[in-house]
Amino acid sequence: MIVAAIFLAPPAFSQADRPHDPPTPSRLSVHWQPQRLVNGSPILFRVSSPIKLRSLTGNWFGHEVFFSFNNKTRLWYGVSGVSLETKPGAYTLQLAGEVPRGKTISLWQKVTVASAHYPKMAIAVAKQYTEPAREQLQKIKEDKSVKADIFKSVGLEREWSGKFLPPVSARISDVFGTQRVFNGKAQSTHQGLDFAVPTGTSVAALNSGTVLLARSLFFEGNCVVIDHGQGLLTLYLHLSEFAVKEGDHVKRGQQIGLSGGSGRASGPHLHIAVRWQGIYLDPATVLKLDMP
């Protein structure tokens, strides 16, 4: 279900939050979307400044938030997220803007995170995916190394532009955060969004970016990973065919492959995932963000 996005204006910044900082000539103002943040939420921060900034940096849960300036809105935008493991509470976003002559203005803003309620599901898959043989364990180990290397090579420059679009037009068959039990034994958390599509359905890139990976993996099957910059990746799993290769630059809506049921899948469908600096985020919420 698509809902209208709302930006929430936080309380005014108090200098008491930073007692050791000297008085600043002006104050940054930050808004964020979605209004209600939960564990697993992506976040779009929108920052305004009454004076011109040369650059803007942020820190959120120990992760650097990369901001880019939008000439049309005259605002700075940065993408980030909240991990599934995050407990409810108020967490601090730290912002620092560089102004002319090398000076900075800063803001420490408390942001509240609530707890989401995710469903549970039992799924039957081939036995090899819950009780892999020795040679399959070796493949799993090799895949783990491949993914670790790929995830290290994320670009810092923004490549995405505008809203992220659904990869297919189809019913959603499973949501992000579902607690899954495979064959009554293996347990895992569903870290993506599933679309009920038959084998051979054209799959499109959610946004512009660079293809980091396009190869077959044990659990993921035929998998494509696209780097959108600023620490943001999208993953497309269980494909039957590839339409791109590693190193390709793709545009939003461009075909990257065909859906299928390869890897650990109970049947043909498309699984997409969104990853930000090692954190998996709810793709359904990403598709609702008013990205500039």
Side-chain angles (χ1 to χ4, degrees):
M1 179 176 66
I2 304 298
V3 297
I6 302 174
F7 285 102
L8 176 65
F13 170 60
S14 169
Q15 287 294 328
D17 291 339
R18 293 295 303 274
H20 301 295
D21 280 357
T24 54
S26 56
R27 296 173 179 175
L28 299 172
S29 176
V30 59
H31 300 241
W32 57 87
Q33 184 192 10
Q35 176 181 1
R36 181 177 183 270
L37 298 180
V38 297
N39 53 317
S41 284
I43 312 169
L44 177 63
F45 287 117
R46 183 186 70 175
V47 179
S48 61
S49 173
I51 60 175
K52 185 176 181 179
L53 301 178
R54 289 182 175 178
S55 64
L56 178 68
T57 58
N59 190 283
W60 174 248
F61 283 102
H63 295 270
E64 184 174 359
V65 182
F66 302 96
F67 284 89
S68 57
F69 186 70
N70 185 283
N71 286 314
K72 183 177 181 181
T73 62
R74 312 302 295 175
L75 298 171
W76 292 83
Y77 293 89
V79 178
S80 60
V82 184
S83 73
L84 274 168
E85 294 73 28
T86 301
K87 296 181 180 179
Y91 298 90
T92 302
L93 168 69
Q94 302 173 31
L95 297 173
E98 183 184 358
V99 298
R101 299 181 182 177
K103 296 183 179 180
T104 61
I105 55 176
S106 59
L107 170 67
W108 284 30
Q109 176 64 57
K110 291 290 187 181
V111 180
T112 299
V113 176
S115 180
H117 299 285
Y118 295 113
K120 293 184 178 181
M121 178 183 294
I123 298 177
V125 295
K127 186 178 179 180
Q128 64 176 339
Y129 294 110
T130 55
E131 301 176 46
R134 179 178 300 178
E135 62 272 15
Q136 292 163 340
L137 288 172
Q138 180 61 32
K139 170 64 174 170
I140 293 170
K141 182 179 179 180
E142 292 172 358
D143 288 353
K144 185 176 181 179
S145 178
V146 168
K147 288 182 285 186
D149 289 341
I150 287 294
F151 293 150
K152 287 179 183 177
S153 59
V154 177
L156 302 183
E157 293 297 323
R158 169 179 162 180
E159 293 192 49
W160 56 269
S161 178
K163 293 194 65 171
F164 281 61
L165 302 179
V168 294
S169 178
R171 175 180 62 86
I172 293 173
S173 55
D174 196 9
V175 298
F176 175 86
T178 301
Q179 299 301 308
R180 290 176 155 189
V181 179
F182 291 95
N183 298 350
K185 297 179 180 180
Q187 297 186 15
S188 69
T189 299
H190 191 227
Q191 296 180 320
L193 188 67
D194 286 353
F195 292 86
V197 291
T199 297
T201 301
S202 179
V203 176
L206 272 66
N207 214 312
S208 302
T210 300
V211 178
L212 291 184
L213 182 143
R215 66 182 73 175
S216 179
L217 303 174
F218 183 76
F219 288 116
E220 295 84 356
N222 293 331
C223 176
V224 169
V225 177
I226 298 176
D227 178 9
H228 302 285
Q230 296 187 328
L232 194 64
L233 306 176
T234 54
L235 297 80
Y236 310 76
L237 279 58
H238 311 307
L239 302 177
S240 60
E241 294 183 25
F242 296 109
V244 292
K245 63 183 184 300
E246 294 171 11
D248 285 353
H249 294 277
V250 297
K251 297 181 179 180
R252 180 178 61 172
Q254 179 179 331
Q255 184 186 46
I256 61 168
L258 301 178
S259 64
S262 57
R264 187 173 68 179
S266 57
H269 71 284
L270 172 66
H271 171 107
I272 65 167
V274 175
R275 183 181 169 102
W276 175 76
Q277 297 194 28
I279 300 170
Y280 282 97
L281 305 174
D282 187 354
T285 305
V286 171
L287 296 175
K288 299 174 187 177
L289 297 179
D290 292 326
M291 307 289 270

